[in-house]
Amino acid sequence: MNISLQDMALPPGNSSALQLTVSSPSEKSNMTIFETSNGSVIVSEMFLTTVPAQALSGFFVWSALLITCHQIYTHLRSYSVPNEQRYIIRILFIVPVYSFDSWLSLLFIGNDQYYVYFDSIRDCYEAFVIYNFLSLAFEYLGGESAIMTEIRGKPIESSCLYGTCCLGGMSYSIGFLRFCKQATLQFCVVKPIMAVLTIILQVFGKYHDGDFNVNGGYLYITIIYNISVSLALYALFLFFFATSDLLRPYEPVLKFLTIKSVIFLSFWQGMVLAILERCGVIPKALLIDGEEVGAGTVAAGWQNFIICIEMFFASISLRYAFTCTVYQEKNEVPESIPPMQSISSGLKETINPGDMVQDAIHNFSPAYQQYTQQSTQEVTQPSTNVKVATGTKSRKSDKIMLITSDDDF
């Protein structure tokens, strides 16, 4: 390759002064150029664009897809408790969405920063997962009224670990449950808005991962996103802290830690990588395979590569956290219904977001303090020797129950 680099170095922050001369267009199309922290320019192959990196990430991605898709199919095949399994299946879909999205982002890392668009889809789905996880916990315990029957009036224990140190002296009320739902629902609204803004700013060249310049959009979107996701996860912490004894028969710890790790740790993982690139620990790419790229591209590439691998282990954890065994034992699908028809109808119900829209209207309605909507259920009490299985509740009928809420959270 015949490459001429003017002075082989650039003044820091003046990457536009780079002059390249290549003997043929094919040589430039395979070229990857980095700028180090001291301003020097190097021509080197990037691991993320190599066949081994893409093959390795693809192996983990497709393995995770096979594991999770089989688990989703098993739940749909034994769709005996729809009010619980719809949330479980939505949560399980985080593996296909995260893994396949990250793999595509990695494959197109040097193509006009397409990864920003792929990652926006992934980020929107994580908000949906947080909401569904909290809704599943509500469903396990029989709804708002059943939960309030157990915890209402009890004092909130002060704990720095769960962030309740400032709530000492207060007691649980219907306002507490409303706050938990509102805090998760706001993330479902904020995240799509931030995703759309990210795409718009990207089109106008005002968004680059890891670019904390006040004139760019990354800084402000990161601040808003961080506040929103922290509030949503704080609400999950509070709810888990308040109902940990009630949720114990449903083994919530593994479920909670798995979801929290996938969403919260992946976010901070991306933040750390972006900061490392900004500080020069990770070299900044000027060209990847002959295509000009913006700041943060290399950090985003490593983030996507790591997520591809992590999703394989997440799929295994989710397989144990949301087992289908108890639903297979309660499978009540009539024999007259063809298996594929049963599966398709279950999948159609699962992907319908109507329940989330209704829940948002309900929890943000000014009339919330006069009523709460719930499903009247018979809850089987746990035996001292027999493990309680999820899905042991029999549904009767929906009705409106009046709950006074003069004691706000």
Side-chain angles (χ1 to χ4, degrees), residues 77-348:
R77 188 68 182 84
S78 305
Y79 203 59
S80 54
V81 189
N83 286 348
E84 292 177 7
Q85 288 177 280
R86 79 160 65 98
Y87 299 121
I88 292 176
I89 293 173
R90 289 171 179 175
I91 292 171
L92 293 177
F93 264 113
I94 193 175
V95 172
V97 171
Y98 260 55
S99 58
F100 195 67
D101 179 281
S102 298
W103 194 50
L104 287 178
S105 297
L106 188 62
L107 295 179
F108 292 96
I109 186 173
N111 295 75
D112 297 326
Q113 293 189 296
Y114 287 156
Y115 74 88
V116 174
Y117 307 104
F118 292 129
D119 292 352
S120 296
I121 299 174
R122 183 185 69 197
D123 294 343
C124 288
Y125 196 79
E126 73 182 24
F128 190 50
V129 168
I130 291 179
Y131 162 78
N132 280 281
F133 183 71
L134 182 62
S135 298
L136 177 62
F138 269 68
E139 197 65 36
Y140 279 156
L141 300 180
E144 294 172 341
S145 296
I147 297 172
M148 288 313 304
T149 300
E150 298 291 338
I151 69 173
R152 188 173 193 176
K154 293 182 179 180
I156 301 177
E157 182 181 349
S158 179
S159 171
C160 294
L161 177 63
Y162 285 92
T164 59
C165 51
C166 58
L167 302 178
M170 301 180 65
S171 59
Y172 294 111
S173 68
I174 190 64
F176 167 79
L177 294 184
R178 186 186 190 188
F179 168 78
C180 292
K181 272 295 182 71
Q182 287 181 331
T184 54
L185 286 167
Q186 61 82 25
F187 188 45
C188 294
V189 176
V190 170
K191 187 54 194 176
I193 294 176
M194 293 297 102
V196 172
L197 288 177
T198 297
I199 293 175
I200 295 175
L201 292 172
Q202 169 69 19
V203 171
F204 289 96
K206 295 295 185 181
Y207 181 90
H208 301 289
D209 280 323
D211 183 7
F212 292 93
N213 192 308
V214 294
N215 295 323
Y218 178 80
L219 174 63
Y220 306 105
I221 287 180
T222 299
I223 292 174
I224 296 174
Y225 174 75
N226 191 26
I227 294 174
S228 182
V229 70
S230 298
L231 181 61
L233 289 171
Y234 176 61
L236 287 182
F237 261 116
L238 288 179
F239 183 81
F240 179 78
F241 182 67
T243 61
S244 57
D245 292 336
L246 302 175
L247 286 171
R248 187 170 291 115
Y250 306 98
E251 302 179 350
V253 176
L254 180 59
K255 296 179 175 67
F256 181 78
L257 291 179
T258 303
I259 299 301
K260 182 177 180 294
S261 298
V262 171
I263 295 177
F264 198 63
L265 294 183
S266 64
F267 167 72
W268 283 108
Q269 177 178 275
M271 282 286 295
V272 170
L273 289 170
I275 293 173
L276 290 177
E277 182 175 351
R278 182 69 175 177
C279 296
V281 178
I282 299 176
K284 173 185 174 182
L286 304 177
L287 295 178
I288 295 180
D289 290 342
E291 299 287 343
E292 292 188 19
V293 295
T297 301
V298 179
W302 280 109
Q303 163 79 334
N304 287 314
F305 178 78
I306 295 172
I307 289 178
C308 288
I309 298 175
E310 290 173 338
M311 284 302 101
F312 172 75
F313 299 100
S315 65
I316 297 176
S317 298
L318 289 170
R319 189 174 185 86
Y320 287 100
F322 298 97
T323 179
C324 190
T325 304
V326 292
Y327 301 108
Q328 289 175 326
E329 296 172 354
K330 289 180 61 63
N331 191 8
E332 300 173 357
V333 178
E335 296 182 358
S336 59
I337 300 179
M340 291 309 299
Q341 181 179 341
S342 174
I343 292 173
S344 61
S345 61
L347 182 61
K348 182 178 179 180

Side-chain angles (χ1 to χ4, degrees), residues 63-79:
S63 299
L65 287 174
L66 288 174
I67 293 173
T68 304
C69 288
H70 178 266
Q71 186 180 5
I72 292 174
Y73 170 80
T74 306
H75 272 284
L76 291 172
R77 188 68 182 84
S78 305
Y79 203 59

